[in-house]
């Protein structure tokens, strides 16, 4: 069992299941642009690297190049549909309660406002000591700027920190910051890519964290 002082969670695909609301908002934005909808399984591949990347990939091969407009439309629709289907993954609330005596934080590429609104709606905003979104810092993950800022703000060293994520982006972020990396197998990442990125450990359920960190 590894002793830690700080747990930093990725958001989408790790702590909270947001896929349906993200995908539906992407398709509402595409409809506004008179474009055809995409399957949720396709949009799933685009989640995790920020809103601009999400909509750029959604527009790929459509002939539409107005990414700023697409991003604005997505943000409008998503702000209206943040928690239609969104909720914690199984044992999410339980694990936050279990580690309530540790420092807990969010490091996401999602805009910070959306992260905060979702957590507020789920009555869990107060759990976190720090929240960094993709627009909170100059560089999104896998750049470690946000993660390093969290550790600095909370005065915790890298060897006392674990980053919980669901993708190679999270693993690379953690490695660059020198923290322990743990990947969930149920999220938005793909098994082959996760294995190639070589996380320090992986889990099938958040409840497994209880037996791994103290």
């Amino acid at each position: 069992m590894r002793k830690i002082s700080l747990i930093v969670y990725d958001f989408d695909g790790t702590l909270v299941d947001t896929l349906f609301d993200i995908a539906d908002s992407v398709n509402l934005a595409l409809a506004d642009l008179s474009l055809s909808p995409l399957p949720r399984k396709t949009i799933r591949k685009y989640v995790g690297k920020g809103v601009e990347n999400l909509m750029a990939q959604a527009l790929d091969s459509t002939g539409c190049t107005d990414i700023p407009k697409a991003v604005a439309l997505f943000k409008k629709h998503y702000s209206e549909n943040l928690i239609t289907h969104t909720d914690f993954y199984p044992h999410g609330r339980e694990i936050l309660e279990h580690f309530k005596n540790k420092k807990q934080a969010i490091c996401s590429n999602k805009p910070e406002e959306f992260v905060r609104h979702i957590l507020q709606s789920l009555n869990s905003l107060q759990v976190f000591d720090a929240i960094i979104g993709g627009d909170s810092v100059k560089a999104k993950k896998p750049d470690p700027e946000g993660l390093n800022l969290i550790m600095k703000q909370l005065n915790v060293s890298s060897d006392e920190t674990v980053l919980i994520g669901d993708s190679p982006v999270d693993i690379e972020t953690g490695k660059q910051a020198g923290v322990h990396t743990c990947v969930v197998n149920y999220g938005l990442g793909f098994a082959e890519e996760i294995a190639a990125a070589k996380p320090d450990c992986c889990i099938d359920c958040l409840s497994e964290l209880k037996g791994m960190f103290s």
Side-chain angles (χ1 to χ4, degrees), residues 21 77-86 110 114 117-118:
D21 288 334
H77 288 298
Y78 192 45
S79 67
E80 298 167 354
N81 297 278
L82 281 172
I83 55 164
T84 304
H85 303 287
T86 291
K110 192 186 205 75
F114 288 154
H117 283 180
I118 290 170

Side-chain angles (χ1 to χ4, degrees), residues 52-102:
E52 293 78 11
N53 183 79
L54 170 70
M55 294 312 300
Q57 291 193 274
L59 293 180
D60 192 34
S61 302
T62 67
C64 178
T65 58
D66 196 345
I67 295 173
K69 183 176 181 180
V71 167
L73 288 169
F74 169 81
K75 287 183 174 180
K76 170 185 176 294
H77 288 298
Y78 192 45
S79 67
E80 298 167 354
N81 297 278
L82 281 172
I83 55 164
T84 304
H85 303 287
T86 291
D87 203 349
F88 283 105
Y89 281 105
H91 302 282
R93 291 184 187 275
E94 173 190 330
I95 212 67
L96 294 176
E97 174 66 19
H98 178 79
F99 288 111
K100 65 182 179 182
N101 294 324
K102 304 291 183 183

Side-chain angles (χ1 to χ4, degrees), residues 6-156:
L6 169 63
I7 302 177
V8 182
Y9 305 90
D10 172 50
F11 197 68
D12 302 295
T14 298
L15 192 60
V16 179
D17 187 355
T18 56
L19 178 59
F20 281 16
D21 288 334
I22 291 173
D24 291 352
S25 298
V26 168
N27 282 329
L28 287 169
L30 293 177
D32 287 347
L33 295 168
S34 301
L35 299 171
S36 299
L38 296 171
R40 282 172 173 162
K41 65 180 181 179
T42 298
I43 296 172
R44 174 181 183 268
K45 302 174 186 176
Y46 306 154
V47 177
K49 296 182 180 179
V51 175
E52 293 78 11
N53 183 79
L54 170 70
M55 294 312 300
Q57 291 193 274
L59 293 180
D60 192 34
S61 302
T62 67
C64 178
T65 58
D66 196 345
I67 295 173
K69 183 176 181 180
V71 167
L73 288 169
F74 169 81
K75 287 183 174 180
K76 170 185 176 294
H77 288 298
Y78 192 45
S79 67
E80 298 167 354
N81 297 278
L82 281 172
I83 55 164
T84 304
H85 303 287
T86 291
D87 203 349
F88 283 105
Y89 281 105
H91 302 282
R93 291 184 187 275
E94 173 190 330
I95 212 67
L96 294 176
E97 174 66 19
H98 178 79
F99 288 111
K100 65 182 179 182
N101 294 324
K102 304 291 183 183
K103 293 177 180 178
Q104 299 187 87
I106 299 288
C107 186
S108 174
N109 279 342
K110 192 186 205 75
E112 182 179 335
E113 178 185 12
F114 288 154
V115 175
R116 289 185 176 275
H117 283 180
I118 290 170
L119 289 173
Q120 183 71 55
S121 298
L122 296 175
N123 194 31
S124 297
L125 184 59
Q126 70 283 357
V127 171
F128 298 96
D129 299 284
I131 295 173
I132 293 293
D135 55 351
S136 307
V137 287
K138 292 181 180 178
K140 295 179 176 66
K141 296 183 296 183
D143 191 290
E145 181 186 359
L147 181 53
N148 285 331
L149 179 59
I150 289 171
M151 290 189 289
K152 182 178 180 180
Q153 287 178 345
L154 300 182
N155 194 29
V156 179

